[in-house]
Amino acid sequence: MMPRVLRLIILFALALLAPRAAPAQERRDNPHGALGQECATCHGAGGWRPARISRGFDHAKLGFALAGAHASTPCQGCHASLAFRQVERSCVGCHRDVHQGELGAGCAQCHSSRSFLDRSTMVQAHRATRFPLSGAHLTVDCEACHAPSPQGHLTFVNRRADCAGCHLGAYQAAQDPNHTALGFPTECSQCHAATVWPQARFNHAGTAFPLTGAHRAVSCPSCHADGVYRGKSTACVSCHQGDYTATTNPGHAAAQFPTDCTACHGTTGWTPAQFNHDNTQFPLTGAHRSATCSSCHADGVYRGKPTACLACHQGDYDATVDPSHSAAQFPTTCMSCHGTTSWSGATFDHDGPYFPIYSGQHRGRWTTCSTCHPNPGSYQQFTCLTCHEHDQVRMDDKHRNRPGYSYDSQACYGCPPRGTS
């Protein structure tokens, strides 16, 4: 009989050599691998198939929230294998990179889960590049600027950001004006806006001829019909020679007016013209400022026109009868009595050098010059007796023993020369 100790050793060795118990059948045959989810999440007791995902299942807890188009994508769209945890979480795991790695593996830079063709994200991404999109560029198809390569994928790296990169054809085809023949720069933004391509507008402000007034509304051919853009003359007559020659009121050519139109005309409107007389030998004041040019220049003389009053007012001088300027041989310096505010209401300085008639006792006692000067041919003669009708007998008696007295106005003036008693 085998000893008891030996028998125990043999039993222990047999126990070590015995095969281990097999794991539960459902663990060994689980096609999802180490999913870590209860079977009831997708399967029901009524049948293993079809599987229905429970509303309580939260994909976000597995590190990838389903949003946008991902929420409506069938499970097999991303999980071709039932081993769910073996799915690549990066975009390129499901989406073929049509850009061939030019833009990296992060599709979310330009695409959103709402739609793979969602332009809002693409536009936002474009703002961080050398060419932010604006105007019509916002709606243009990507392929228009990012032409496909021979392999069929859109190209992004090393794309040109200058206008000619896309619009060289339009530049070469432009005929009004001919951009190529005139050597226009290929930087289209100088004349064209991204909003509206056909309505080109060149910024004249940076040139030797900034546009102001009505010049801002004229078309380019109005001034550049000769095809000259670079070195175009900025002189007024280079565009307005016809206007200068055709003007007859006054005749610019006949009067040899300067061809610098800005002396009389502004850019707001060709008419009315205003010449600045203040820069001449005869600055306009008073009523002269509202007089028409022909009032003084009806003879067509502008250069060297006399500035004497009589050059315009000879008729007024000759026609005046109260007093008669010509009969009395008044001086022709009208400003001695007249001002430019109004021709009427002339005031002669009688009080200063002669006799106070506008002040003192004689103020308001007369109406016309003839009151004291009855001889219109000589204003050196005067009479006091028109108003002072004294009886000569009484005056003789009153002035008896007065040395130098005589019943005569000249003698009266000699006694109170300033009209005082």
Side-chain angles (χ1 to χ4, degrees), residues 159-174:
R159 293 295 302 176
R160 292 173 58 177
D162 61 316
C163 301
C166 285
H167 298 288
L168 184 58
Y171 173 92
Q172 294 171 338

Side-chain angles (χ1 to χ4, degrees), residues 374-417:
N375 183 3
S378 176
Y379 276 79
Q380 292 182 348
Q381 299 179 25
F382 64 91
T383 179
C384 301
L385 302 179
T386 303
C387 298
H388 301 284
E389 295 180 311
H390 302 294
D391 181 81
Q392 183 175 359
V393 176
R394 290 181 57 211
M395 295 306 294
D396 290 345
D397 184 65
K398 184 176 181 178
H399 289 84
R400 193 180 303 280
N401 300 325
R402 292 264 182 162
Y405 164 75
S406 66
Y407 189 69
D408 179 72
S409 295
Q410 294 289 339
C412 295
Y413 178 69
C415 184

Side-chain angles (χ1 to χ4, degrees), residues 316-391:
D316 301 295
Y317 179 91
D318 295 338
T320 304
V321 295
D322 187 24
S324 175
H325 289 26
S326 58
Q329 297 182 349
F330 277 11
T332 55
T333 52
C334 305
M335 72 282 291
S336 298
C337 301
H338 301 274
T340 59
T341 304
S342 174
W343 184 256
S344 59
T347 303
F348 177 64
D349 186 13
H350 206 288
D351 290 20
Y354 302 105
F355 190 79
I357 60 174
Y358 297 105
S359 61
Q361 295 182 5
H362 288 82
R363 180 182 181 183
R365 298 296 182 91
W366 59 278
T367 55
T368 64
C369 299
S370 59
T371 301
C372 299
H373 299 280
N375 183 3
S378 176
Y379 276 79
Q380 292 182 348
Q381 299 179 25
F382 64 91
T383 179
C384 301
L385 302 179
T386 303
C387 298
H388 301 284
E389 295 180 311
H390 302 294
D391 181 81

Side-chain angles (χ1 to χ4, degrees), residues 170-213:
Y171 173 92
Q172 294 171 338
Q175 296 296 321
D176 184 25
N178 190 319
H179 291 25
T180 306
L182 295 170
F184 278 12
T186 55
E187 179 53 49
C188 308
S189 60
Q190 292 188 20
C191 301
H192 299 272
T195 308
V196 184
W197 179 262
Q199 297 178 3
R201 178 63 65 183
F202 175 67
N203 185 6
H204 248 273
T207 69
F209 193 83
L211 299 184
T212 60

Side-chain angles (χ1 to χ4, degrees), residues 91-92 94-100 116 153:
C91 300
V92 293
C94 288
H95 302 285
R96 182 176 65 89
D97 183 9
V98 297
H99 307 310
Q100 301 296 307
F116 209 76
H153 66 273

Side-chain angles (χ1 to χ4, degrees), residues 214-267:
H215 286 155
R216 297 180 65 88
V218 299
S219 62
C220 301
S222 298
C223 298
H224 299 282
D226 53 3
V228 178
Y229 289 83
R230 294 180 181 272
K232 178 75 175 178
S233 173
T234 59
C236 302
V237 76
S238 66
C239 281
H240 296 288
Q241 179 69 64
D243 300 294
Y244 176 92
T245 306
T247 303
T248 57
N249 184 28
H252 289 26
Q256 297 182 345
F257 278 11
T259 55
D260 181 10
C261 307
T262 58
C264 300
H265 301 274
T267 60

